[in-house]
Structure formats: structure tokens, C-alpha cells
Amino acid sequence: MFARIRPDTWSHLAIAAALIVSVLVAGTVGYTILGLGAVDAAYQTIVTVSTVGFREIADGDPDTTWKAFTSVLILLGTGSMLYGATSVIESIVEGRLSGQFRRYRMQRSIDDLSGHLIVCGTGRVGQAITDFVRSVGQEVVVIDRDETRLRDEDVLNVAGDATSDDVLRRAGIERATTLVSALRTSVDNLYVTLSSRKMNPDLFIVSRADNSESMAKMLQVGADRAVNPYEIAGSRMASLATQPNVADFVDVVVHDGTFEAKLREIRLPNGSDFIGQTIDDLAIRQETGAVVLSVRDRSAQFHTDDVTSRPFADGDVIVAIGSDAALDRLAGTVSS
């Protein structure tokens, strides 16, 4: 409950507390002047301000001065407490309403998405994935059961369990092109992979696995790629130790985003003019400024040595390097 209280409400509560304390002190002093002892005066003030009103401690019937002072004390005390209570209730109600409205607007934005990427889990791995995907300009929706991790209002998100079909639907699983499952356990990632493949057969799924056995199972239930973060980190450290310049170059080109040259994959659409022609025939470098490094065919084989002389075929994916403008020109030429 206290997490929903707005920061400015604490100042209102401080004012209310100061008013109540002042009323209690003034009441105790006032009743002392009217003839009560210190303990009786404090007691009479508390039962009066709290509106409990067990009995009057005055000797005999209270006189006019006593009644007037008690009446003012009741008004001041109840007013101070109502002020504090109103501030808290107002903040909680407004916080809930604004939170619900924000969630409603976010869900509307997610419902309008198509071709986006879904990241399940916002731990260290999931956060790194989200940051990189956003850096290349792709729309991303994050799923996590811990709402405290979803406070970045710039990132579309769904609060809930990613293993739930309903949560996946709220994230737009039917309209997404890619899903990355980066949950803590292999069991959860396996469940998400299985559910996602059933809900969207065309989805490209990348799933986290913690060992070779889990990786094999991920691929069996429908993941297109299974990745062990620890293995990747070990390979990266080994590359830095043995070939630091090569590793740094790949990092700068693929991950950094500040280098003028970028790597991009471009899939040949059906009926592309590239089909049946070679790189030499098309003069891709001269026409676009991009360099084709390799081509991957339908059987997932990379062609590098014969890349310039091999004719393009249906289902080929071009891996090219160049500036954004050059790669855009190549993508436009491929699609024309």
C-alpha cells in the first residue's frame, strides 16, 4: 500500500502529524490551565481529540469555558486527522487509477503492433537483449512477472507469467516475428518455447538453455536457436585472449552501433530478380556500396568461398556489411 503513495503525499502527512501533535500539546496545556493535573490533562485531550469521549474529568459539571475549549479542540483534532487520512486515501486511489490507465494505454499500443520482438524475462540477460533490440530500432515487448522490473515507461511491457498463454497473447504473440525466452530456469524456457511454437508456427524463437541437454530439448520442442549464455561468455573471453582485435572488430560492428559499417541479414523474397544471378552479374558492390560476406541457403549452409559465383536461389539469406545507406539500398534492390 505504501508503495502507491505519491512522493508529495509524504509532505501532507508531515503537516498532518505536526498539526495533531500541536493540538495534543495545546489541549494538554489548556486543560492544565483549566485545573487538571498533567496526566489527567493529557488523558482528557486524547479522548477528546479521538472523539472517544469516555467522560469529562472536570470537577462537577463543566463550565462554559471548559465546553468552549473542548469544542474547539474536537474541531481542530478531527480536522487534522481527516486531513492526513484524506491525503493518503487520495494518493492511493489516484495511484491505482493512473496505474490502470497507463496499463490500458500500453496494452492498446501493444495491440497495434505487428512484426515486433517479445522478450520473456528482464534479468541481466533479458535486459541486455532488450537494450540491443531497441538500439537497432525494432519494436520490443517485455514480459516479466515482477512489476518492479517494468518501471521503464519507454518500453512496452506485460506484467505476468510468460508461461501463461493469456500473457503471451497480451504481448501479441500471434503478430510477433521473434520471441526470445530468457527466463531463469530451463524448464520455464522450455514451456514458453513449446507454447509459443503452437500459438505462432511462423515465429522465430531463441531460447536460453543452461546446458547441452537443455539446448537439445529446446530445439526438439520448436526453438530455432538455443543459446547457453555461459558458453557464449566463455567463448567471448577466449576470443579476447587469443584474437583480441578480431573479437573487438566483431563487437564494434555487431553490437556497438557507433562504427560506420554494420552487419545485416537480408532474405530474398519470392520472385526476387536476384534469383538465378550471381553477385558478379548484379554488380552489388558497385550498385549499392554494400559487400556480401556470405549467403545462407535453405539447408542452413553458408556459402563464402563461392559466394561471388554461386547463383542466388529461393530461400537464400544474404549476410552483408556496409553503411546503413548502402544496406538500405541493397535491401531495396533485393525487394524490387
Side-chain angles (χ1 to χ4, degrees), residues 116-229:
H116 57 288
L117 184 146
I118 298 173
V119 177
C120 300
T122 57
R124 286 174 293 182
V125 174
Q127 187 61 55
I129 296 169
T130 302
D131 292 341
F132 179 78
V133 172
R134 295 184 65 201
S135 71
V136 298
Q138 185 170 353
E139 294 285 356
V140 59
V141 176
V142 175
I143 301 175
D144 200 286
R145 69 180 69 185
D146 187 353
E147 291 192 47
T148 60
R149 296 182 177 180
L150 303 174
R151 292 184 176 178
D152 187 348
E153 297 185 0
D154 294 333
V155 180
L156 296 176
N157 59 74
V158 175
D161 189 348
T163 61
S164 167
D165 289 355
D166 179 63
V167 172
L168 290 174
R169 288 192 181 92
R170 284 161 50 197
I173 188 73
E174 295 92 346
R175 304 181 307 279
T177 57
T178 307
L179 179 139
V180 180
S181 185
L183 300 176
R184 290 181 179 273
T185 67
S186 295
V187 174
D188 286 342
N189 290 317
L190 189 71
Y191 196 94
V192 170
T193 300
L194 185 62
S195 300
S196 301
R197 177 57 67 208
K198 182 179 180 181
M199 298 170 69
N200 186 346
D202 298 325
L203 191 68
F204 188 86
I205 301 175
V206 180
S207 185
R208 172 180 174 173
D210 294 333
N211 52 60
S212 58
E213 183 179 354
S214 297
M215 293 177 68
K217 289 181 179 179
M218 297 296 178
L219 297 174
Q220 288 175 4
V221 300
D224 295 280
R225 301 288 188 276
V227 179
N228 185 337

Side-chain angles (χ1 to χ4, degrees), residues 223-297:
D224 295 280
R225 301 288 188 276
V227 179
N228 185 337
Y230 306 108
E231 185 177 294
I232 295 294
S235 299
R236 162 77 175 131
M237 295 176 70
S239 297
L240 286 172
T242 57
Q243 301 185 82
N245 294 303
V246 173
D248 286 341
F249 176 77
V250 173
D251 275 351
V252 169
V253 172
V254 178
H255 302 294
D256 188 85
T258 59
F259 193 58
E260 61 180 7
K262 307 288 178 59
L263 280 171
R264 189 185 301 180
E265 63 175 59
I266 302 172
R267 184 178 297 275
L268 293 184
N270 295 330
S272 173
D273 293 338
F274 276 39
I275 297 175
Q277 301 190 69
T278 67
I279 292 176
D280 291 336
D281 295 334
L282 296 167
I284 291 177
R285 173 70 181 275
Q286 294 80 0
E287 294 293 331
T288 66
V291 177
V292 177
L293 298 179
S294 183
V295 175
R296 194 175 198 183
D297 60 24

Side-chain angles (χ1 to χ4, degrees), residues 101-118:
F101 181 65
R102 184 181 68 86
R103 177 60 57 189
Y104 172 76
R105 288 190 305 170
M106 185 171 293
Q107 189 60 53
R108 288 290 300 271
S109 299
I110 294 174
D111 292 341
D112 292 336
L113 287 181
S114 180
H116 57 288
L117 184 146
I118 298 173

